[in-house]
Short mmCIF file of all heavy atoms in Angstrom, two decimals:
data_model
loop_
_atom_site.label_atom_id
_atom_site.label_comp_id
_atom_site.label_asym_id
_atom_site.label_seq_id
_atom_site.Cartn_x
_atom_site.Cartn_y
_atom_site.Cartn_z
N HIS A 59 -11.14 6.83 0.94
CA HIS A 59 -10.89 8.06 0.19
C HIS A 59 -9.60 7.98 -0.62
O HIS A 59 -9.16 8.97 -1.23
CB HIS A 59 -10.76 9.26 1.12
CG HIS A 59 -12.13 9.74 1.63
ND1 HIS A 59 -12.89 9.02 2.48
CD2 HIS A 59 -12.74 10.90 1.45
CE1 HIS A 59 -13.96 9.72 2.82
NE2 HIS A 59 -13.93 10.89 2.16
N GLY A 289 -15.62 16.32 -3.24
CA GLY A 289 -16.90 15.74 -2.89
C GLY A 289 -18.05 16.57 -3.43
O GLY A 289 -19.12 16.03 -3.78
N ALA A 290 -17.81 17.86 -3.59
CA ALA A 290 -18.86 18.76 -4.07
C ALA A 290 -18.55 19.29 -5.49
O ALA A 290 -19.07 20.31 -5.91
CB ALA A 290 -18.99 19.96 -3.11
N GLY A 338 -15.47 19.29 4.90
CA GLY A 338 -16.45 18.45 5.50
C GLY A 338 -16.04 17.88 6.87
O GLY A 338 -16.85 17.67 7.72
N GLY A 342 -18.85 19.66 8.40
CA GLY A 342 -19.86 18.85 7.78
C GLY A 342 -20.08 19.23 6.33
O GLY A 342 -19.38 20.06 5.78
N CYS A 343 -21.04 18.54 5.71
CA CYS A 343 -21.27 18.70 4.28
C CYS A 343 -21.76 20.09 3.90
O CYS A 343 -21.63 20.52 2.77
CB CYS A 343 -22.22 17.64 3.76
SG CYS A 343 -22.21 17.41 2.00
N GLU A 346 -19.14 21.86 2.21
CA GLU A 346 -18.72 21.39 0.88
C GLU A 346 -19.87 21.60 -0.12
O GLU A 346 -19.84 22.50 -0.92
CB GLU A 346 -18.33 19.89 0.94
CG GLU A 346 -17.10 19.68 1.82
CD GLU A 346 -16.35 18.37 1.40
OE1 GLU A 346 -16.65 17.79 0.38
OE2 GLU A 346 -15.48 17.98 2.18
N VAL A 347 -20.92 20.81 -0.01
CA VAL A 347 -22.06 20.94 -0.90
C VAL A 347 -22.76 22.30 -0.72
O VAL A 347 -23.16 22.96 -1.66
CB VAL A 347 -22.99 19.75 -0.76
CG1 VAL A 347 -24.35 20.05 -1.32
CG2 VAL A 347 -22.40 18.50 -1.41
N THR A 384 -25.01 17.32 7.30
CA THR A 384 -23.95 16.54 7.86
C THR A 384 -23.14 15.79 6.83
O THR A 384 -23.63 15.59 5.66
CB THR A 384 -24.50 15.52 8.88
OG1 THR A 384 -25.33 14.65 8.20
CG2 THR A 384 -25.17 16.21 10.02
N CYS A 385 -21.98 15.32 7.17
CA CYS A 385 -21.13 14.48 6.28
C CYS A 385 -21.13 13.05 6.88
O CYS A 385 -20.57 12.87 7.93
CB CYS A 385 -19.73 15.08 6.26
SG CYS A 385 -18.58 13.96 5.41
N ASP A 386 -21.72 12.11 6.17
CA ASP A 386 -21.81 10.76 6.76
C ASP A 386 -21.70 9.71 5.63
O ASP A 386 -22.56 8.91 5.42
CB ASP A 386 -23.13 10.57 7.51
CG ASP A 386 -24.37 10.92 6.65
OD1 ASP A 386 -24.18 11.43 5.50
OD2 ASP A 386 -25.47 10.74 7.15
N PRO A 387 -20.60 9.79 4.85
CA PRO A 387 -20.48 8.91 3.66
C PRO A 387 -20.42 7.42 4.03
O PRO A 387 -19.63 7.07 4.94
CB PRO A 387 -19.16 9.33 3.00
CG PRO A 387 -18.38 9.98 4.10
CD PRO A 387 -19.35 10.56 5.06
N VAL A 392 -16.76 8.31 -1.15
CA VAL A 392 -17.46 9.53 -1.57
C VAL A 392 -18.49 9.17 -2.66
O VAL A 392 -18.38 9.50 -3.81
CB VAL A 392 -16.42 10.53 -2.12
CG1 VAL A 392 -17.02 11.94 -2.28
CG2 VAL A 392 -15.25 10.66 -1.15
N PRO A 395 -23.93 9.71 0.61
CA PRO A 395 -24.91 10.42 -0.20
C PRO A 395 -24.39 11.37 -1.27
O PRO A 395 -25.12 12.06 -1.92
CB PRO A 395 -25.69 11.23 0.85
CG PRO A 395 -24.60 11.59 1.86
CD PRO A 395 -23.67 10.40 1.89
N CYS A 396 -23.06 11.39 -1.40
CA CYS A 396 -22.39 12.49 -2.09
C CYS A 396 -22.85 12.72 -3.56
O CYS A 396 -23.07 13.88 -3.96
CB CYS A 396 -20.90 12.24 -2.07
SG CYS A 396 -20.31 11.57 -0.48
N ARG A 399 -26.32 14.00 -3.83
CA ARG A 399 -26.39 15.30 -3.14
C ARG A 399 -25.92 16.45 -4.05
O ARG A 399 -26.40 17.55 -3.99
CB ARG A 399 -25.53 15.24 -1.87
CG ARG A 399 -25.71 16.40 -0.97
CD ARG A 399 -25.14 16.17 0.41
NE ARG A 399 -26.05 15.32 1.23
CZ ARG A 399 -25.77 14.92 2.44
NH1 ARG A 399 -24.60 15.26 3.00
NH2 ARG A 399 -26.64 14.21 3.11
N ASN A 400 -24.95 16.15 -4.88
CA ASN A 400 -24.51 17.11 -5.87
C ASN A 400 -25.59 17.48 -6.89
O ASN A 400 -25.74 18.61 -7.29
CB ASN A 400 -23.25 16.65 -6.59
CG ASN A 400 -22.01 16.94 -5.81
OD1 ASN A 400 -21.20 17.85 -6.13
ND2 ASN A 400 -21.73 16.18 -4.76
N GLU A 445 -17.28 13.68 8.51
CA GLU A 445 -16.39 12.86 7.69
C GLU A 445 -15.62 11.84 8.49
O GLU A 445 -14.43 11.62 8.25
CB GLU A 445 -15.44 13.77 6.88
CG GLU A 445 -15.06 13.16 5.59
CD GLU A 445 -14.51 14.18 4.55
OE1 GLU A 445 -14.50 15.37 4.83
OE2 GLU A 445 -14.09 13.73 3.49
S1 SF4 B 501 -21.20 13.82 2.54
FE1 SF4 B 501 -20.67 15.79 1.64
S2 SF4 B 501 -18.81 16.48 2.75
FE2 SF4 B 501 -19.10 14.25 3.19
S3 SF4 B 501 -17.77 13.22 1.67
FE3 SF4 B 501 -19.84 13.38 0.80
S4 SF4 B 501 -19.87 15.35 -0.36
FE4 SF4 B 501 -18.00 15.40 0.99
#
Side-chain angles (χ1 to χ4, degrees):
H59 285 67
C343 197
E346 295 204 13
V347 163
T384 60
C385 170
D386 54 356
V392 193
C396 320
R399 190 165 282 177
N400 275 256
E445 211 162 354

